[in-house]
Amino acid sequence: MDYRATLNLPQTKFKMKANLAQREPEYLKRWEKEGLYKMLQEHSAEKPLFVLHDGPPYANGHIHLGTAFNKILKDIILKSRRMAGFNAPYIPGWDCHGLPIEHNVDKELGEKKKVIPKLSKRGACRKYAEKWIKTQKAEFKRLGVLGDWDAPYLTMTYEYEAAIAREFNRFLLSESVIRNKKPVYWCSTCTTALAEAEVEYHDHTSPSVYVKFPVKDDISDVDSALAGEKVFVVIWTTTPWTLPANLAIALHPDFEYAAVKVGEETWVIAKELVETVMSEAGIEDYSILSTFSAVGLERKNCRHPFLDRDSLLVLADYVTTDAGTGCVHTAPGHGTDDYQTGLRYGLEILSPLNNDGTYTEEAGPYAGEKVPEVNQRIISDMLEAGVLIHQNKIHHSYPHCWRCKKPVMYRATPQWFISMEKNELRNKALSEIEKVEWTPSWGMQRIQSMVEGRPDWCLSRQRSWGVPITVISCSSCGEIVRSEEVVNKIDELFLKEGADAWFRHDVGEFLAEGHSCSCGSTDFTKEEDILDVWFDSGVSHAAVCEIRDELRAPADLYLEGSDQHRGWFQSSLLTSVGTRGCAPFHGVLTHGYVVDGAGKKMSKSVGNVVAPGEVIEKYGAEILRLWVSSEDYKDDVKVSDEILRQVSDAYRKIRNTIRYMLGNLSDYDPAVHQVATENLPELDRWALAKFEELKSRIYTSYEKYEFHSIYHGLNYFCGTTMSAFYLDIIKDRLYTAGTDSESRRAAQTVLYDILDGLLRLMSPVLSFTAQEAWESLHGHDQKTALNESVFFSDFPAPAETGIDAEREARWTRLIKIRSEITGALEHARREKVIGHPLEAEVLLSVEGELAEFVKQEWQTIKEISIVSELNDLETASGVVENVIASEELPGVKVAVRPAPGAKCERCWTRSTTVGMDSNHPLICERCAGVVAEMDLPAEE
């Protein structure tokens, strides 16, 4: 007889090979066709609301692994919130305006960009953004991210553009918007001002020069030793191109300065830096004539080293002795500190540069020269004039444009700003920051320091594609029109035509008929600059959360990369605090950058870029999702082929555990076969208690957004708790016990309860696999209604059965004893004493405190050790060799030898009862009893 036919062997359609790359699109197609997201929202409509507001990615180019990571994180959170009993809508968004799109459209237009009308160019930009939104939308959906993809928010829709203008006008009416000529980051390549969030720091090589400014005024009253001396003040700079804009030299009021005699000249340098400067300049022959405070030098004049004008000596507490000479070259039009000093001393805010970085006539002999190429000519001229002391190169971190990656400059130009001081915006924002829950917690200190030190927010951009700065001013006196009537007209036209209305209509169409300025003029001008795109996305709390019925403001959570402390988090905070008096979010969660396996930034030139599409094609989106959950995203997130292979291996173990459980539930119906908890064997109750521990851990991890704990918890539970221990032990029961026996049904009860709960717990992460397994577990097919899917279930409720401390201690002891036996079995296998553990007879003796415990648990120890015989070593007959004394458990000794009897052809254990049943001479007594109940013909 083929006894295999009498076994309860696993049966399931859930395949070992996942074929994720092929199966996932099938699920996505059905979910989209039947409207899974909409059904989920209807299902949870009456539940408490949880709002995760999407930070909009830029509608330019394919998604990269960083944006994929971000979207998957959001999806995991939202799915987990739904299963925890919340209504968790997701409205994805896109940032559609700005320089990167306009830059690419310019490239496509070629020479036409110089002559194309503004409205036509804006139309081309809109089409460009629409193309990439369509592409990115498909790529995000492929990740298994559920959301309202049919109605996302776009910063270029008419409604959103109207909202941007509306929010700007709130600031304008509150007089928080100011126009100033002050230094801002300026990209001469892109010919526009930049906000701090649009500047990246990269390594750069700059010239390093020491220059002497001849002192014009008599300064002998500062120190008599200077009388009759040829005195120079020595400055150091890494931007020689700013020297034509020099109007002052700043000294620290508290530093001690030295008059250093060098040949026939006397140089003024901070005393602390004299030795360093002389060493770097290669000057050994020098002496210090005297030392003095800089206070007496205030408002004395030097002469500019190569232009016909004076340079004022001023005092400033930002001067340091970290580098340089302690005498700081000051160009009020080219630096924040310089600008403030210029205002204090009534200096001109001089910036002799055009938009493209070319010198104007104010630069004297350098008019028409280009920055930074002009550096070398200025250095050469200074060398020839005898004012250059020393030149070198310096390698340092320097600001670059986020778009073109070229170095930027500080340049004073007339720009529009939101004042950080008017209406107490800075102080209010700092106060609100403390009310927000920041994850990680250091995020609070980071954004606090940024807001504390940030300048006024430069809003204006000298480009075409964006929402205009909706300012109308008097052509005669410059007075700004601040009128609710104008604001309402702008809103009306923008809602009908979008921001194009500003460029399509004459200024008079925005003003009331007969409107005149307080100066009497009726001639008005519209501003042509557009708003910083960070303002666009920053007002999404008003344009989306306050307007969409399914959302609310403030949102519960904003989640983006850690670079957004200076970007979207900050722009959202300032726009909300400035107009509503509160932060737009209750919580902020940040993740690190995605880097390669060695921790290096991904770069096409380096060749270490991992594209999401390639990963999906090779492994499936499920592996990407599991990778996201596996990383502690608070730091930078590593990815490589090796890391993805490891995640894929972990997935395979989880999947195989699920498959094994499903295979052993093919004939189980919980309504018919469930065994009451009080009737379950001790081992089964232990398994349920371990699952309770996992549930608790996973609940907490979802709550705290600690998804790597979920990954490790699932991995350990499936691979160790289940596969390597519990499932291994109950395999004999499942396969060989009577089909309808209570012992087998008890094991199935536990498997069903655990698997049902496990699939719910893992579905926010492994959405495709959880759904596939859910269908197998519950007998669903393509005809089953979609609202029966795992996504409509809740997380498993905590069971009444827990694991008490006494039981836990007992099982800890049992597992330690099993570990000793397993070690002895492995040793016996290596020594060829046995082949398989079922061939073994284990001989065990225990002395001391464990002796009574082992005696009571003898049968349990035999069961969990999965051996044919467990006998007392002290009373064993025959020869016993290789007795192993435990090092971990004093008093425990284990020996292994082949079990007596023959191998049962059905259960594979060795037993002396094999052959005792004449009807079934090849199987053991236990199996013969099971087979007898099957009413099978006797073996011939």
Side-chain angles (χ1 to χ4, degrees):
M1 176 183 287
D2 180 8
Y3 286 106
R4 184 180 173 82
T6 70
L7 297 171
N8 307 299
L9 295 177
Q11 295 179 37
T12 180
K13 293 179 180 178
F14 187 83
K15 292 181 170 53
M16 184 182 297
K17 187 173 175 60
N19 287 320
L20 292 170
Q22 290 74 44
R23 290 296 308 278
E24 289 168 352
E26 295 172 8
Y27 279 108
L28 291 171
K29 185 177 179 181
R30 185 185 180 196
W31 295 347
E32 183 168 11
K33 182 181 179 182
E34 298 186 28
L36 174 59
Y37 172 76
K38 184 180 178 182
M39 291 171 67
L40 282 169
Q41 287 309 107
E42 291 170 353
H43 174 74
S44 59
E46 302 304 317
K47 296 178 181 178
L49 186 62
F50 176 86
V51 175
L52 187 162
H53 180 43
D54 190 35
Y58 207 70
N60 180 33
H62 293 281
I63 69 170
H64 53 75
L65 214 51
T67 44
F69 186 93
N70 177 267
K71 276 289 190 285
I72 291 171
L73 263 186
K74 291 171 180 173
D75 191 57
I76 291 173
I77 289 172
L78 290 164
K79 283 173 177 166
S80 68
R81 292 288 80 201
R82 291 183 196 114
M83 299 190 78
F86 288 87
N87 172 9
Y90 180 54
I91 311 301
W94 272 274
D95 211 348
C96 308
H97 296 127
L99 183 57
I101 287 173
E102 188 172 345
H103 181 74
N104 284 324
V105 169
D106 280 347
K107 286 198 289 186
E108 290 178 359
L109 289 171
E111 288 301 310
K112 290 181 182 177
K113 70 180 181 182
K114 298 176 182 177
V115 295
I116 188 172
K118 181 174 280 190
L119 286 172
S120 299
K121 185 175 183 179
R122 286 172 60 85
C125 290
R126 184 176 291 277
K127 286 182 179 177
Y128 182 91
E130 287 170 348
K131 176 185 76 172
W132 283 111
I133 289 167
K134 183 178 179 181
T135 298
Q136 290 186 7
K137 185 188 294 187
E139 291 171 338
F140 286 136
K141 288 160 76 173
R142 180 63 186 87
L143 300 172
V145 177
L146 297 180
D148 194 350
W149 296 108
D150 293 331
Y153 78 86
L154 312 178
T155 61
M156 66 180 184
T157 60
Y158 293 175
E159 294 82 2
Y160 198 110
E161 288 182 335
I164 294 170
R166 200 179 305 130
E167 294 306 307
F168 169 78
N169 285 325
R170 283 182 184 236
F171 278 102
L172 185 70
L173 293 178
S174 71
E175 300 193 1
S176 292
V177 175
I178 57 176
R179 185 167 172 82
N180 263 340
K181 182 180 180 182
K182 61 192 295 188
V184 294
Y185 285 117
W186 183 272
C187 178
S188 59
T189 304
C190 300
T191 62
T192 187
L194 300 172
E196 287 199 348
E198 295 171 317
V199 172
E200 301 172 342
Y201 282 81
H202 302 295
D203 290 338
H204 184 68
T205 301
S206 300
S208 166
V209 296
Y210 289 89
V211 182
K212 55 188 181 183
F213 283 58
V215 176
K216 173 186 173 184
D217 296 342
D218 180 10
I219 57 171
S220 59
D221 59 331
V222 175
D223 192 304
S224 59
L226 299 175
E229 293 290 328
K230 193 175 182 182
V231 183
F232 297 81
V233 175
V234 179
I235 65 95
W236 170 73
T237 182
T238 60
T239 54
W241 64 265
T242 61
L243 286 170
N246 173 279
L247 293 176
I249 300 170
L251 311 174
H252 199 290
D254 299 332
F255 289 177
E256 188 177 10
Y257 285 82
V260 185
K261 188 73 172 178
V262 182
E264 298 299 316
E265 299 176 350
T266 300
W267 298 350
V268 175
I269 301 171
K271 181 184 177 184
E272 189 178 328
L273 292 167
V274 170
E275 188 177 336
T276 303
V277 172
M278 294 303 169
S279 174
E280 190 167 338
I283 298 172
E284 297 180 358
D285 187 11
Y286 67 91
S287 61
I288 295 178
L289 290 181
S290 64
T291 60
F292 47 86
S293 164
V295 173
L297 292 173
E298 186 179 19
R299 296 193 180 277
K300 302 286 188 182
N301 284 289
C302 293
R303 288 296 289 169
H304 194 285
F306 53 81
L307 293 177
D308 186 19
R309 65 165 176 258
D310 290 345
S311 184
L312 187 68
L313 292 174
V314 299
L315 300 178
D317 58 10
Y318 56 77
V319 178
T320 73
T321 54
D322 295 339
T325 65
C327 309
V328 176
H329 148 55
T330 299
H334 290 291
T336 303
D337 290 334
D338 305 49
Y339 171 76
Q340 295 297 337
T341 297
L343 291 181
R344 267 202 330 275
Y345 285 89
L347 302 174
E348 180 186 356
I349 309 303
L350 175 64
S351 178
L353 287 172
N354 287 328
N355 290 351
D356 65 354
T358 303
Y359 276 130
T360 64
E361 294 300 322
E362 292 175 297
Y366 303 106
E369 296 272 1
K370 192 82 184 283
V371 173
E373 291 80 2
V374 72
N375 275 335
Q376 198 50 53
R377 183 183 163 191
I378 291 174
I379 292 170
S380 298
D381 288 353
M382 290 192 299
L383 183 62
E384 188 177 337
V387 294
L388 181 70
I389 293 172
H390 180 68
Q391 66 168 309
N392 206 340
K393 299 286 185 186
I394 184 172
H395 304 284
H396 59 157
S397 181
Y398 194 82
H400 288 65
C401 173
W402 70 312
R403 177 60 215 163
C404 69
K405 309 301 181 186
K406 300 285 180 62
V408 299
M409 63 179 74
Y410 252 120
R411 174 182 177 233
T413 58
Q415 301 289 343
W416 293 96
F417 298 85
I418 286 179
S419 170
M420 291 298 296
E421 310 311 330
K422 282 201 173 185
N423 299 311
E424 295 285 310
L425 179 56
R426 189 189 309 279
N427 291 337
K428 289 176 183 176
L430 289 170
S431 175
E432 285 301 305
I433 286 169
E434 295 184 354
K435 301 174 185 176
V436 175
E437 184 175 349
W438 300 89
T439 307
S441 58
W442 50 257
M444 182 169 78
Q445 286 75 35
R446 188 170 190 217
I447 196 168
Q448 272 179 330
S449 65
M450 289 176 173
V451 171
E452 282 171 353
R454 72 159 294 148
D456 291 341
W457 182 356
C458 179
L459 288 177
S460 41
R461 297 293 178 274
Q462 292 66 44
R463 305 299 297 187
S464 302
W465 178 229
V467 174
I469 290 177
T470 49
V471 171
I472 295 173
S473 53
C474 175
S475 301
S476 299
C477 70
E479 182 177 286
I480 296 171
V481 178
R482 290 186 172 89
S483 157
E484 288 282 359
E485 194 173 353
V486 170
V487 167
N488 292 337
K489 187 64 177 178
I490 291 169
D491 197 47
E492 176 191 332
L493 286 174
F494 276 33
L495 284 169
K496 288 179 183 176
E497 306 173 26
D500 283 355
W502 187 255
F503 305 103
R504 185 177 290 131
H505 295 273
D506 292 333
V507 64
E509 296 181 59
F510 293 94
L511 296 168
E513 189 174 347
H515 182 86
S516 62
C517 179
S518 59
C519 73
S521 173
T522 56
D523 188 15
F524 294 92
T525 305
K526 284 185 302 176
E527 177 59 57
E528 289 294 311
D529 284 356
I530 62 168
L531 282 164
D532 175 13
V533 289
W534 289 107
F535 190 89
D536 290 17
S537 58
V539 300
S540 60
H541 59 87
V544 183
C545 294
E546 290 180 0
I547 290 177
R548 296 285 288 251
D549 291 337
E550 65 269 53
L551 303 178
R552 66 155 179 245
D556 293 288
L557 187 68
Y558 276 33
L559 190 173
E560 303 299 329
S562 55
D563 57 331
Q564 296 307 315
H565 287 112
R566 62 198 285 262
W568 189 55
F569 299 151
Q570 195 172 146
S571 66
S572 300
L573 175 74
L574 295 179
T575 57
S576 181
V577 171
T579 56
R580 282 133 178 93
C582 65
F585 35 65
H586 295 303
V588 172
L589 179 65
T590 58
H591 57 80
Y593 294 103
V594 175
V595 295
D596 71 10
K600 294 179 181 176
K601 183 180 178 182
M602 290 192 178
S603 165
K604 289 180 181 177
S605 60
V606 176
N608 62 348
V609 173
V610 179
E614 294 173 5
V615 177
I616 291 170
E617 189 176 334
K618 184 175 181 180
Y619 295 105
E622 200 79 314
I623 302 305
L624 262 186
R625 297 180 66 89
L626 191 59
W627 163 69
V628 169
S629 75
S630 73
E631 293 289 333
D632 185 352
Y633 56 80
K634 295 179 182 67
D635 299 314
D636 284 347
V637 180
K638 292 182 179 180
V639 68
S640 65
D641 286 340
E642 178 59 29
I643 289 170
L644 289 171
R645 276 196 296 271
Q646 291 171 3
V647 172
S648 184
D649 287 343
Y651 170 80
R652 197 174 297 113
K653 290 173 184 174
I654 293 170
R655 183 178 181 89
N656 286 345
T657 301
I658 292 169
R659 183 173 186 270
Y660 182 85
M661 295 167 82
L662 283 170
N664 284 287
L665 289 168
S666 60
D667 66 337
Y668 177 78
D669 181 349
V672 178
H673 303 127
Q674 187 177 40
V675 175
T677 303
E678 59 270 20
N679 295 330
L680 293 175
E682 182 65 24
L683 174 64
D684 296 337
R685 293 195 205 186
W686 173 85
L688 287 176
K690 298 311 284 184
F691 183 57
E692 283 303 307
E693 288 180 12
L694 178 73
K695 276 199 280 187
S696 176
R697 178 179 178 180
I698 288 183
Y699 290 158
T700 302
S701 297
Y702 276 127
E703 285 281 342
K704 294 183 175 180
Y705 310 126
E706 294 174 350
F707 306 119
H708 62 290
S709 294
I710 296 170
Y711 169 82
H712 292 298
L714 286 173
N715 213 7
Y716 184 85
F717 184 79
C718 289
T720 302
T721 308
M722 289 285 102
S723 293
F725 189 78
Y726 180 68
L727 298 181
D728 201 23
I729 295 167
I730 65 169
K731 183 178 180 180
D732 179 72
R733 242 198 291 171
L734 291 168
Y735 286 22
T736 68
T739 300
D740 208 29
S741 64
E742 182 161 307
S743 65
R744 181 169 178 271
R745 293 306 187 193
Q748 287 182 307
T749 297
V750 173
L751 290 186
Y752 183 89
D753 288 351
I754 288 177
L755 184 55
D756 179 85
L758 189 66
L759 296 180
R760 297 168 193 245
L761 291 173
M762 65 184 250
S763 66
V765 177
L766 294 172
S767 300
F768 297 102
T769 304
Q771 178 57 24
E772 182 188 0
W774 184 265
E775 290 169 354
S776 290
L777 179 64
H778 296 286
H780 295 172
D781 57 26
Q782 288 298 308
K783 294 179 182 178
T784 305
L786 198 57
N787 61 11
E788 296 293 319
S789 79
V790 68
F791 305 115
F792 290 86
S793 64
D794 293 330
F795 281 143
E800 295 178 7
T801 307
I803 187 164
D804 58 40
E806 186 179 336
R807 182 182 291 165
E808 177 67 23
R810 180 166 154 262
W811 273 96
T812 299
R813 277 178 154 188
L814 285 168
I815 290 169
K816 284 182 178 179
I817 294 166
R818 179 186 189 259
S819 179
E820 295 299 321
I821 293 172
T822 301
L825 288 168
E826 285 299 318
H827 181 267
R829 287 182 65 178
R830 288 195 302 270
E831 297 298 318
K832 311 293 187 198
V833 175
I834 58 169
H836 188 279
L838 282 176
E839 298 174 8
E841 176 191 13
V842 170
L843 302 171
L844 176 67
S845 74
V846 182
E847 297 175 353
E849 61 171 339
L850 277 176
E852 185 60 31
F853 175 79
V854 169
K855 183 178 178 182
Q856 292 175 358
E857 301 293 342
W858 195 266
Q859 193 54 41
T860 302
I861 292 170
K862 179 180 183 295
E863 180 189 4
I864 66 176
S865 299
I866 320 174
V867 293
S868 289
E869 292 287 341
L870 177 68
N871 292 310
D872 189 345
L873 176 62
E874 301 302 324
T875 60
S877 59
V879 178
V880 179
E881 298 177 338
N882 298 318
V883 176
I884 299 173
S886 171
E887 296 178 3
E888 293 291 323
L889 300 175
V892 173
K893 295 179 182 177
V894 185
V896 177
R897 65 185 181 186
K903 178 182 177 181
C904 173
E905 290 293 311
R906 185 170 181 272
C907 70
W908 291 11
T909 58
R910 287 186 175 273
S911 173
T912 55
T913 66
V914 173
M916 290 179 64
D917 188 321
S918 58
N919 289 325
H920 300 284
L922 299 179
I923 60 178
C924 67
E925 186 177 26
R926 181 189 62 156
C927 285
V930 173
V931 171
E933 292 182 3
M934 295 180 182
D935 197 26
L936 297 173
E939 188 176 359
E940 296 180 4

